[in-house]
Amino acid sequence: MRARTRSNGTSSPWLASVCPTTRTEAVDFTFTEEEQEVGALVRTILGDLVTVERLREIEATPGGWDERAWRALATADLLGVGIGEADGGSGLGFLALCRVLQEVGRHVAVVPAQATLALGALVLSEFGSGPERTWLAEVVAGDRLLSVALEDGGAADPLAPSTRAARHGASVRLTGVRVNVAYAEQASHILVPARCDDGTIGLFWVEPTAAGVDVVQQRTPDGQPRSRLELAGAEPSARLDTDGHGGEVLRWLSERATVAICATQLGVIERALEMTAAYVRERVQFDRPIGSFQAVHQRAADAYIAAETIRMTTWEAAWRLSSGRPATEHVLVAKYLAAEAGQSASFACQHLHGGIGIDTDYPLHRYFRWAMQLEHELGSARHQLDRLGHLIATGDLRPH
């Protein structure tokens, strides 16, 4: 792991302990001072700007998103935390980026942090070359959005794209359908994984306005701009990977994209639980706060345990990726819990609120919708179990 300035503070006291993952290795759950400051600054900015009234205003505009909040994050130099200093970023790394995403989830902020920062810019920063690298400085300044079309219309495994890249003379043409592409209409370029003629995987930058590209808006639970991307012989503007290495790049990207979802889900669930705790302390029935009832205790405790399992597994996976350690099974476990425990905790929060929890004038419903969206992105809990089981069956994953 790179040299870091240690801090005594952590996001949760019991996470400060060092938990063994193997007989010879331990996970360090402490955040650096810089990572803590990033999280605190994003919380302050989004807390000031992403009000309930602002969210209602955005929801009233089809395809709307919060450009004002995005500009504020750019002005505070927060869009480049995952981008190296040579490209205009601050080079604080993947863990710092996950702190940004955690706060985006806490505020259910309609900003393209996941699409542009955790997907497009991150993979470009790691593997990009040529003129495309200049896009990174524009991302940092808030002047360019990028996206990645990781989800397939016909396959659940992001590592097995059904999109085809066929060679036509000196050029390549893409054919296929990608779904749930975030901010596709707003992005200048979308990265599309595709199976090439020789069976290898390539990753191609596509302009959403290019010939052969059709961007169709989709409605999803979280209400963020998302689209179905239809490619009918579309010619990409550039290729990210080098021949023969596309599969490795796609796996690198998919694992980080999955943990980015987990970090966002962590923010969603911890804030929903905070709102629920405040509600059961204030809501009175039979002359007593409902939080004094045993049944409420048990339901709230279940949600708390769910939130903490998401927290621990997310930060473990993020730390392993950030420090260059193998993390395939850790990413799958983190996503399984972000989906399964996330769904359970968000439902418990709705349940403990009673009827007001589903009132669209009350802010909690947005957290339930975001949790539902994040539960299914890049595969539900069942898909993570399938992939873990496959690793066990093939001997690629053994009990420690």
Side-chain angles (χ1 to χ4, degrees):
M1 200 169 185
R2 64 182 167 77
R4 307 167 78 198
T5 305
R6 291 292 170 196
S7 167
N8 291 327
T10 66
S11 59
S12 177
W14 66 281
L15 292 182
S17 61
V18 176
C19 302
T21 56
T22 72
R23 293 189 180 90
T24 59
E25 189 174 34
V27 178
D28 185 351
F29 283 110
T30 56
F31 293 116
T32 66
E33 290 181 4
E34 292 87 351
E35 288 159 356
Q36 292 202 77
E37 288 170 2
V38 164
L41 185 54
V42 176
R43 183 175 297 192
T44 298
I45 292 172
L46 296 184
D48 288 343
L49 297 179
V50 185
T51 61
V52 172
E53 292 73 23
R54 178 61 175 160
L55 289 171
R56 288 178 182 151
E57 183 182 325
I58 293 167
E59 289 164 358
T61 306
W65 62 287
D66 201 336
E67 294 187 56
R68 185 177 66 180
W70 191 248
R71 283 288 169 196
L73 294 174
T75 301
D77 289 331
L78 289 165
L79 301 187
V81 297
I83 297 173
E85 292 179 289
D87 295 305
S90 52
L92 295 180
F94 185 63
L95 269 170
L97 177 55
C98 286
R99 295 303 303 268
V100 174
L101 296 164
Q102 180 186 9
E103 293 304 320
V104 168
R106 279 185 65 91
H107 296 85
V108 288
V110 187
V111 293
Q114 194 168 314
T116 293
L117 305 184
L119 296 178
L122 196 65
V123 71
L124 177 60
S125 178
E126 182 71 17
F127 298 101
S129 60
E132 293 80 27
R133 259 202 112 77
T134 62
W135 299 348
L136 293 169
E138 297 172 286
V139 168
V140 173
D143 295 331
R144 181 187 289 272
L145 302 187
L146 300 172
S147 188
V148 177
L150 271 182
E151 296 202 42
D152 201 295
D157 186 357
L159 302 181
S162 66
T163 311
R164 298 293 171 185
R167 185 159 292 284
H168 284 251
S171 66
V172 169
R173 301 297 171 89
L174 301 178
T175 303
V177 174
R178 314 298 291 177
V179 298
N180 196 33
V181 184
Y183 294 83
E185 291 183 307
Q186 292 79 13
S188 68
H189 293 77
I190 303 167
L191 188 67
V192 178
R195 183 77 63 184
C196 301
D197 293 334
D198 60 1
T200 61
I201 290 174
L203 292 97
F204 303 89
W205 290 109
V206 173
E207 296 180 43
T209 56
V213 180
D214 197 9
V215 179
V216 182
Q217 285 189 3
Q218 289 185 300
R219 290 189 63 183
T220 54
D222 66 353
Q224 296 207 66
R226 297 182 189 274
S227 301
R228 172 185 170 95
L229 187 68
E230 299 178 353
L231 304 164
E235 184 174 356
S237 62
R239 180 168 180 169
L240 175 74
D241 62 300
T242 54
D243 276 334
H245 297 282
E248 299 168 27
V249 176
L250 183 56
R251 181 177 295 279
W252 187 96
L253 172 60
S254 178
E255 289 185 344
R256 282 150 185 81
T258 301
V259 174
I261 291 170
C262 299
T264 309
Q265 183 75 301
L266 173 60
V268 169
I269 298 302
E270 66 182 9
R271 180 61 189 135
L273 192 55
E274 288 172 5
M275 294 169 65
T276 303
Y279 180 78
V280 300
R281 284 195 299 267
E282 297 169 358
R283 179 81 167 90
V284 173
Q285 279 191 340
F286 309 112
D287 298 324
R288 294 168 56 190
I290 63 172
S292 64
F293 299 145
Q294 186 182 40
V296 173
H297 293 172
Q298 293 169 343
R299 197 82 168 100
D302 284 343
Y304 174 82
I305 291 170
E308 294 306 304
T309 58
I310 298 171
R311 188 189 311 280
M312 175 171 280
T313 53
T314 294
W315 293 133
E316 179 182 9
W319 173 77
R320 294 191 70 86
L321 292 175
S322 183
S323 58
R325 290 172 165 81
T328 298
E329 66 266 33
H330 303 84
V331 171
L332 292 172
V333 170
K335 182 58 171 65
Y336 169 79
L337 288 167
E340 187 78 2
Q343 191 277 340
S344 173
S346 64
F347 182 71
C349 291
Q350 288 287 128
H351 187 195
L352 291 172
H353 271 80
I356 197 172
I358 57 173
D359 187 338
T360 55
D361 286 331
Y362 190 77
L364 185 72
H365 76 281
R366 295 186 181 87
Y367 290 85
F368 184 78
R369 291 193 286 111
W370 272 57
M372 188 190 311
Q373 171 77 27
L374 294 163
E375 174 190 353
H376 293 284
E377 281 193 33
L378 294 185
S380 65
R382 180 180 64 81
H383 290 110
Q384 311 313 315
L385 291 181
D386 285 345
R387 293 166 194 162
L388 272 170
H390 177 75
L391 291 177
I392 294 170
T394 57
D396 293 328
L397 175 59
R398 298 175 186 277
H400 296 301

